[in-house]
Amino acid sequence: AEFSPGDPEHAYVAPRTATERKFAEIWASVLKVERVGVHDSFFALGGHSLRAMQVVSRVRAMFKIDLPIQTLLDTPTIAGIVEVLFADEGVRDKVEKRAQLLLDVDGLSDADVEKMLRERVALRK
């Protein structure tokens, strides 16, 4: 079994949804680690208050929602945070759709993204 670097007591669990994948990308970037499992503790991976503020800022920029820093402090796993956020159905739909769109765009080449943008602009005219 694979084990996460942050918590050797728990096996690594990969992100299962688009939202979890985007959160894991944010955490990996902020914490400067290769991968983050959904049950890894933010603090066990080297997180602290300044990095928590960076996560909150990136979540706001990416998803256009406010993640209270207290939520991250009280629930320092991706699975826990997503569960708290998704308690509100409107937030769940908005965040999951945005996460899926971001993942879809991540998989496209620059030329494909440009083409998609041109098509959307043409549809609006």
Side-chain angles (χ1 to χ4, degrees), residues 31-112:
L31 297 170
K32 296 174 179 38
V33 296
E34 196 172 311
R35 70 175 188 183
V36 178
V38 296
H39 299 299
D40 291 348
S41 168
F42 179 77
F43 302 105
L45 292 173
H48 50 68
S49 58
L50 181 59
R51 288 182 173 167
M53 290 172 40
Q54 290 175 322
V55 166
V56 166
S57 175
R58 290 183 189 193
V59 166
R60 184 180 304 117
M62 186 176 288
F63 294 109
K64 309 298 184 232
I65 60 166
D66 285 321
L67 169 65
I69 196 159
Q70 195 61 48
T71 301
L72 179 55
L73 299 175
D74 292 343
T75 316
T77 67
I78 291 171
I81 289 170
V82 169
E83 186 178 326
V84 169
L85 289 176
F86 282 13
D88 179 329
E89 224 169 279
V91 171
R92 180 181 61 225
D93 292 343
K94 174 183 172 181
V95 169
E96 188 63 15
K97 284 178 185 170
R98 189 173 195 85
Q100 189 58 58
L101 177 64
L102 291 167
L103 287 174
D104 291 346
V105 171
D106 286 348
L108 297 175
S109 68
D110 290 346
D112 289 337

Side-chain angles (χ1 to χ4, degrees), residues 1-15 34-37 39-40:
E2 293 180 304
F3 295 95
S4 89
D7 187 358
E9 298 295 314
H10 295 97
Y12 171 78
V13 177
E34 196 172 311
R35 70 175 188 183
V36 178
H39 299 299
D40 291 348

